[in-house]
């Protein structure tokens, strides 16, 4: 066995053993443990766990890959996800924590005094969460297939089994402590290679500063200027100015990611694991620091990965790499099918250009950039192994949080809340675990047939949450008069419009060949892409809800009083009263 394989096995299986041990030690004995870890997690611990829950495979594996290929346009992911987290921490989490109900549909049921509202919220939540999990499963499959040198499908299967063990066994309690361990693995795996590569290219060990520094070769050229020259020579858009389909689309995309973030239930649930509203606010602050550590490094990782990739394929200007002399990392990724070369002109050299007719790199999957980056830069094998463990930790931590959100929404909100109110705690716990198992199987199947690259798929999930859940929560907290019927109509209108636009472009339930644009052009609504349409769906949701409010009349007096009380600082009820 070669050295890299040995290190990879040690890093990956060592971290898995740690996750299993934590899950067994912190296994859930009650529904309160299963859903909110008994409400006894400290703000610092919760901040780390939120960081891990937050930084999914899309953040760890995909985001830098997209910044590498989109340049400035990829910044919508950084701005949207970070800004959305601030929205969530300031506008939603403290109020919902004060109210004391630990699932989003349960809060919506209380606030909108309607079982229909609760059911609509559960459906929206499941659609958004399942779409999000597909992205995580793609990340798991990509990482496993490369580093364990197994088929993508088998890699996905191993990942599903690992999540099943610690999510089903431990519930929120097991997941919280596992996510703390995963955050530590992740942050080391992301920053150590970035420090090495920044030192190599610019001589500056801090990647955030290295990105704006001159190259270490003594030429005096800035790294970003060099990258602009390299990519424009090959016909690609200039790296530092390329945007995503125009200013309006960039704005809509960022907005959709922001409000979608604030409406994603798996992160909101984390704020119920701490004992008080003050602790919820503190854990939000800690989490922002932990998230910032990785997010500020991502632009540097993306830019440096793109420069290294270009320099490998064209070591000196006008001189292309001989295919027979391609480096080992190139061969390794070719085996996974995520990197493909076709010798179109028969000269045995690799031409990589923006022109499809002459471009011989017919596939460079964006999702491989972070994982391949250390090998492209010739870093030591132990660093490459660490990145593999980090990528898996990122995907697994978020998948576990999402599965818990789906399981609690079905077992707690649908079964106990609507269908069988007299369900015992023991049976509710069992139902939660069965639902989680089914959700893992469904998400695994969708992971085998994913719609697009990981972060693009995730962007759709954010759009669905943005158009349905976020407006309902905002109106529930900040509009005393908003009635149940008006809110439900708004939610259905918002998610309906968004799904219609997305399916029109991407196919019904993302099935290839079922898109129905007809005579309409792509992105026909003011040039806004399907991934950015959640912000439009949210506006439709608000508009329909307030229009319906005029028809239905305001919420009853006791509901208005409850909302007023929720907004006044003061004592908080326990997060685990049923």
């Amino acid at each position: 066995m070669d050295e890299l394989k040995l290190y990879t096995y040690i890093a990956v299986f060592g971290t898995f053993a740690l996750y299993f041990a934590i899950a067994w030690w912190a296994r859930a004995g009650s529904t309160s443990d299963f859903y909110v870890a008994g409400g006894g997690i400290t703000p610092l611990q919760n901040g780390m766990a939120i960081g891990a829950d937050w930084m999914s495979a899309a953040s760890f594996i995909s985001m830098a890959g997209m910044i590498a290929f989109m340049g400035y346009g990829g910044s919508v992911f950084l701005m949207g996800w970070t800004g959305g987290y601030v929205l969530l921490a300031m506008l939603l989490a403290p109020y919902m924590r004060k109210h004391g109900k630990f699932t989003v549909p349960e809060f919506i049921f209380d606030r909108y005094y309607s079982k229909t509202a609760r059911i609509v919220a559960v459906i929206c939540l499941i659609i958004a969460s399942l779409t999000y999990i597909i992205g995580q499963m793609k990340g798991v499959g990509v990482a496993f297939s490369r580093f364990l040198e197994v088929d993508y499908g088998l890699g996905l299967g191993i990942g599903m089994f690992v999540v099943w063990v610690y999510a089903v066994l431990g519930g929120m309690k097991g997941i919280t402590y596992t996510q703390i361990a995963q955050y530590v693995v992740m942050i080391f795996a992301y920053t150590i290679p970035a420090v090495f590569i920044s030192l190599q290219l610019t001589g500056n060990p801090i990647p955030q500063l290295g990105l704006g520094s001159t190259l270490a070769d003594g030429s005096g050229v800035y790294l970003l200027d060099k990258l602009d020259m390299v990519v424009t020579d090959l016909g690609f858009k200039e790296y530092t100015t390329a945007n995503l389909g125009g200013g309006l689309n960039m704005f809509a995309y960022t907005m959709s990611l922001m409000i979608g973030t604030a409406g994603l239930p798996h992160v909101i649930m984390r704020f119920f694991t701490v004992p008080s509203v003050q602790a919820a606010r503190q854990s939000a602050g800690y989490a922002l620091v932990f998230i910032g550590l990785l997010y500020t490094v991502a632009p540097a990782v993306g830019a440096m990965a793109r420069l290294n990739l270009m320099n490998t394929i064209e070591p000196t200007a006008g001189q292309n790499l001989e295919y027979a002399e391609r480096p080992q990392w190139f061969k390794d990724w070719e085996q996974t099918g995520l990197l493909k070369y076709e010798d179109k002109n028969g000269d045995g050299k690799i031409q990589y250009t923006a022109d499809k007719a002459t471009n011989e790199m017919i596939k460079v999957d964006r999702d491989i950039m972070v994982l391949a980056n250390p090998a492209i830069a010739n870093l030591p094998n132990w660093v490459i192994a660490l990145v593999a463990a980090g990528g898996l930790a990122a995907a697994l931590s978020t998948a576990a949080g999402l599965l818990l959100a789906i399981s609690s929404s079905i077992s707690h909100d649908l079964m106990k809340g609507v269908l069988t109110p007299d369900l015992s705690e023991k049976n509710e716990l069992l139902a939660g675990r069965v639902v989680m198992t089914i959700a893992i199987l469904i998400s695994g199947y969708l992971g085998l047939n994913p719609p697009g690259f990981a972060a693009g798929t995730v962007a759709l999930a954010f759009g669905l949450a943005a158009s349905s859940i976020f407006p309902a929560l905002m109106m529930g907290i900040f509009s005393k008069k908003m009635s149940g019927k008006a809110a439900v109509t708004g939610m259905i209108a918002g998610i309906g419009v968004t799904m219609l636009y997305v399916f029109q472009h991407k196919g019904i339930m993302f099935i290839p060949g079922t898109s129905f644009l007809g005579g309409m052009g792509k992105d026909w609504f003011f040039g806004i892409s399907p991934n950015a349409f959640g912000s439009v769906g949210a506006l439709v949701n608000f508009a329909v809800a307030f229009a319906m409010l005029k028809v239905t009349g305001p919420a009853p007096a006791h509901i208005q009083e409850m909302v007023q009380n929720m907004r006044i600082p003061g004592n908080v009820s326990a997060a685990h009263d049923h």
Side-chain angles (χ1 to χ4, degrees):
M1 185 187 286
D2 65 17
E3 187 188 34
L4 174 58
K5 217 171 188 181
L6 179 66
Y7 279 135
T8 305
Y9 282 165
I10 292 169
V12 171
F13 292 116
T15 51
F16 282 2
L18 176 66
Y19 306 153
F20 286 162
I22 292 170
W24 179 253
W25 165 73
R27 61 192 183 281
S30 66
T31 50
S32 157
D33 278 350
F34 192 76
Y35 295 134
V36 291
I41 305 294
T42 68
L44 182 66
Q45 290 172 330
N46 199 38
M48 278 184 126
I50 291 170
D53 210 349
W54 188 243
M55 291 179 300
S56 60
S59 288
F60 190 97
I61 296 174
S62 241
M63 184 169 64
M66 284 194 304
I67 293 170
F69 286 93
M70 293 176 180
Y72 167 69
S75 64
V76 296
F77 292 92
L78 276 174
M79 295 185 296
W81 285 337
T82 314
Y85 179 76
V86 175
L87 266 185
L88 170 68
M90 301 298 290
L91 295 180
L92 299 179
Y95 301 105
M96 291 179 67
R97 177 66 191 86
K98 179 157 192 260
H99 183 64
K101 292 295 161 70
F102 58 71
T103 70
V104 170
E106 192 171 17
F107 170 79
I108 283 176
F109 170 64
D110 278 9
R111 169 60 187 83
Y112 294 121
Y113 49 92
S114 150
K115 283 189 177 177
T116 313
R118 192 173 193 165
I119 293 166
V120 170
V122 168
I123 293 166
C124 295
L125 185 152
I126 290 170
I127 292 170
S129 298
L130 263 181
T131 313
Y132 197 176
I133 292 184
I134 300 168
Q136 309 316 312
M137 290 303 182
K138 166 97 191 281
V140 172
V142 168
F144 267 123
S145 62
R146 162 67 192 91
F147 291 106
L148 300 183
E149 292 181 14
V150 293
D151 178 63
Y152 173 79
L154 179 60
L156 189 60
I158 298 169
M160 284 162 62
F161 174 72
V162 175
V163 172
W164 182 81
V165 171
Y166 73 78
V168 170
L169 187 72
M172 182 60 103
K173 195 172 175 187
I175 287 170
T176 298
Y177 289 111
T178 310
Q179 283 175 337
I180 292 168
Q182 285 166 332
Y183 177 80
V184 175
V185 171
M186 245 177 352
I187 202 69
F188 276 109
Y190 207 77
T191 49
I192 288 174
V195 168
F196 271 113
I197 294 167
S198 182
L199 263 173
Q200 265 184 5
L201 288 174
T202 67
N204 192 323
I206 301 168
Q208 293 94 325
L209 300 178
L211 181 64
S213 302
T214 52
L215 292 165
D217 58 9
S219 62
V221 177
Y222 282 92
L223 182 138
L224 285 171
D225 288 340
K226 171 74 173 173
L227 185 53
D228 274 346
M229 286 186 324
V230 170
V231 294
T232 49
D233 280 353
L234 298 174
F236 293 98
K237 283 183 188 170
E238 192 175 55
Y239 188 85
T240 50
T241 58
N243 73 14
L244 267 183
L248 179 63
N249 190 55
M250 283 276 282
F251 176 78
Y253 212 133
T254 307
M255 201 66 201
S256 180
L257 291 171
M258 267 178 76
I259 61 178
T261 293
L264 269 177
H266 73 293
V267 179
I268 292 173
M269 284 176 76
R270 289 236 59 95
F271 289 98
F272 295 108
T273 63
V274 289
S276 66
V277 174
Q278 188 187 2
R281 286 189 188 277
Q282 285 174 342
S283 55
Y286 281 125
L288 203 53
V289 173
F290 291 130
I291 291 166
L293 285 174
L294 189 141
Y295 269 36
T296 53
V297 175
V301 171
M304 292 170 187
R306 180 80 181 270
L307 187 61
N308 278 333
L309 177 73
M310 295 303 199
N311 286 343
T312 302
I313 291 171
E314 197 177 318
T316 49
Q319 290 294 309
N320 295 93
L321 179 73
E322 293 272 355
Y323 180 67
E325 292 169 15
R326 69 196 186 282
Q328 186 58 42
W329 67 264
F330 196 112
K331 296 173 187 170
D332 291 339
W333 282 102
E334 275 185 307
Q335 285 172 8
T336 64
L338 298 171
L339 200 63
K340 283 182 186 163
Y341 161 78
E342 184 187 307
D343 193 359
K344 290 182 177 172
N345 59 6
D347 67 352
K349 292 183 177 179
I350 303 172
Q351 251 112 7
Y352 185 25
T353 65
D355 180 8
K356 276 190 175 173
T358 57
N359 177 37
E360 297 179 338
M361 289 300 300
I362 54 171
K363 183 170 186 183
V364 182
D365 194 302
R366 302 167 193 208
D367 292 347
I368 74 170
M369 291 308 292
V370 169
L371 299 176
N373 203 11
I376 297 173
N378 290 317
L379 296 188
N381 283 335
W382 66 267
V383 179
I384 299 171
L386 185 64
V387 171
L392 290 167
L396 296 173
S397 62
T398 305
L402 288 163
L403 288 163
L404 189 69
I406 291 173
S407 130
S408 64
S409 70
I410 292 177
S411 62
H412 185 71
D413 289 301
L414 260 190
M415 291 174 70
K416 190 172 177 69
V418 179
L419 305 173
T420 50
D422 53 351
L423 192 68
S424 71
E425 186 169 345
K426 189 180 172 188
N427 285 342
E428 189 186 336
L429 201 56
L430 176 66
R433 288 177 163 146
V434 170
V435 167
M436 211 182 260
T437 306
I438 295 167
I440 289 173
L441 293 173
I442 293 171
S443 58
Y445 170 75
L446 292 171
L448 273 176
N449 308 283
F453 54 95
T457 306
V458 167
L460 294 175
F462 280 85
L464 296 173
S467 61
S468 58
I469 297 168
F470 176 77
L473 294 177
M474 283 296 285
M475 292 184 293
I477 294 167
F478 296 103
S479 168
K480 285 195 301 188
K481 293 185 176 177
M482 181 52 63
S483 71
K485 283 179 181 164
V488 170
T489 316
M491 282 165 80
I492 293 169
I495 200 166
V497 164
T498 306
M499 285 175 75
L500 187 70
Y501 194 77
V502 168
F503 289 167
Q504 208 185 351
H505 285 78
K506 308 252 178 191
I508 297 163
M509 291 313 290
F510 311 112
I511 297 164
T514 57
S515 53
F516 51 96
L517 273 170
M520 293 172 173
K522 190 172 164 287
D523 303 345
W524 55 267
F525 189 83
F526 297 107
I528 294 174
S529 65
N531 290 7
F533 202 75
S535 47
V536 179
L539 290 176
V540 169
N541 186 331
F542 280 120
V544 169
F546 281 107
M548 276 298 286
L549 183 60
K550 295 265 192 290
V551 180
T552 61
H558 72 279
I559 296 289
Q560 294 194 37
E561 197 180 313
M562 179 185 88
V563 175
Q564 184 68 31
N565 182 49
M566 192 181 5
R567 298 215 301 259
I568 299 168
N571 294 328
V572 58
S573 56
H576 35 89
D577 72 72
H578 278 264

